[in-house]
Amino acid sequence: MNIFNLEQPSVPVVGSDERFPVRRIYCIGRNYDKHVAEMGYDVKRSKPFYFGKPADAVVMSGATIDYPPRTANLHHEIELVVAIGKVGSDVAVSEALEHVYGYAVGIDLTRRDLQKVAKDQGRPWETAKGFDQSAPISAIHRASRISHPTKGRIWLAVNGQIRQDAGLNELIWGVAESISELSTLFELAPGDLLFTGTPAGVGPLEPGDEVTGGIEGIDEIQIRIR
Ligand code: MN
C-alpha cells in the first residue's frame, strides 16, 4: 500500500455524483430515555454527551462486515445521522439547522464488553466504539430534498426480527439542540457526521446475522456480519 495514496473516506449523496467527504464522526450517548434506562442509568440524572469514531470507520450499507476482534458481545445501535455542511462554533439552536447538509441512517456498532470494562475502570471508549468498520451508514439525503426529521419511525431488525422500534420524537435532544451543543465543544465543519444516539433494544450480533434498519422518511440500511 502506498501511504501517500490513502483514500478519503466518503459517503454517497443521493441524486448527485458527488460524495460527502467524511472529516470527523461525532456520536451522542444516552439520547433516548428508554435506552438510558436499559443501560442502567437514571434518566433524570443522565444527560447526553459526545464521543467519536475515526472517519475511516464508515462502511456503506450493503456491506458484509467481519465480526470484530477482541469482543464476544458486538451490539447494534440504529441511529439518525446528521451530515454537517457549514462551518460553525457556538451555533444558536435557532440557526443550527442551517448547518445541516443532509441526513442518513447509521449503525453505531459497539463492542459492549469492552465498553463495560472502560466504564468500570474509568478508561476511554475508543476500543469499544472506534474500531474498524464500526460506522455502517446509508447514502446521505440532502436536507434540501427532505424535511428536517422530528418524528418518524426508527427501527432495526436482525434476521427479520425487530429489535429496536421507536420514534425520532423520543430524542431527548433533537437535531438542532445536538448541533448547537456540539458546536460549543468543537468547531463544526463540512464533512462532519453526527450519530444522534440510539433508542432502546440494543443487543448482540453474531456471525451470519443479516441486519436491516431504517428511518421513516430518510432511508434504510442493511449489513451482514461475517
Ligand atoms: Mn450510539
Side-chain angles (χ1 to χ4, degrees):
M1 182 165 76
N2 179 351
I3 63 165
F4 297 105
N5 223 353
L6 291 177
E7 208 176 307
Q8 164 70 51
S10 65
V11 180
V13 176
V14 173
S16 168
D17 293 335
E18 291 180 312
R19 294 178 70 89
F20 182 87
V22 182
R23 189 185 81 115
R24 295 182 183 173
I25 302 175
Y26 298 107
C27 306
I28 305 180
R30 298 177 206 155
N31 204 13
Y32 290 80
D33 283 352
K34 288 172 194 158
H35 175 63
V36 175
E38 77 178 345
M39 297 304 288
Y41 295 95
D42 182 336
V43 171
K44 289 199 185 94
R45 290 170 57 188
S46 207
K47 276 199 169 177
F49 58 89
Y50 300 89
F51 58 91
K53 291 177 186 269
D56 69 352
V58 290
V59 51
M60 289 313 107
S61 176
T64 297
I65 294 173
D66 290 323
Y67 193 93
R70 298 288 296 272
T71 184
N73 198 16
L74 175 69
H75 270 210
H76 55 77
E77 297 189 353
I78 188 79
E79 308 199 0
L80 169 68
V81 181
V82 182
I84 299 293
K86 184 179 159 190
V87 170
S89 295
D90 295 324
V91 176
V93 172
S94 60
E95 292 172 0
L97 295 181
E98 296 169 18
H99 294 259
V100 177
Y101 176 84
Y103 296 95
V105 180
I107 302 174
D108 168 15
L109 289 176
T110 302
R111 293 196 275 213
R112 194 71 73 200
D113 42 4
L114 298 192
Q115 187 189 35
K116 183 173 189 312
V117 170
K119 286 177 177 176
D120 289 349
Q121 302 193 7
R123 291 180 182 169
W125 282 16
E126 269 83 358
T127 59
K129 290 289 197 178
F131 54 92
D132 297 336
Q133 300 187 298
S134 61
I137 189 168
S138 74
I140 292 171
H141 295 251
R142 297 202 59 166
S144 54
R145 295 162 63 102
I146 58 170
S147 52
H148 292 283
T150 55
K151 55 185 168 62
R153 183 182 180 218
I154 176 170
W155 61 276
L156 180 141
V158 179
N159 304 321
Q161 302 278 334
I162 291 286
R163 295 263 193 96
Q164 297 186 267
D165 197 352
L168 291 182
N169 60 316
E170 296 173 52
L171 278 166
I172 299 171
W173 287 15
V175 171
E177 290 172 300
S178 299
I179 290 170
S180 175
E181 175 69 11
L182 181 63
S183 76
T184 68
L185 293 160
F186 304 96
E187 181 178 70
L188 303 181
D192 291 345
L193 295 175
L194 173 59
F195 281 62
T196 57
T198 198
V202 301
L205 295 171
E206 303 293 341
D209 280 349
E210 177 85 22
V211 184
T212 51
I215 299 176
E216 190 182 344
I218 299 182
D219 206 344
E220 296 195 350
I221 188 169
Q222 175 260 322
I223 58 168
R224 180 179 287 276
I225 308 296
R226 170 165 56 199

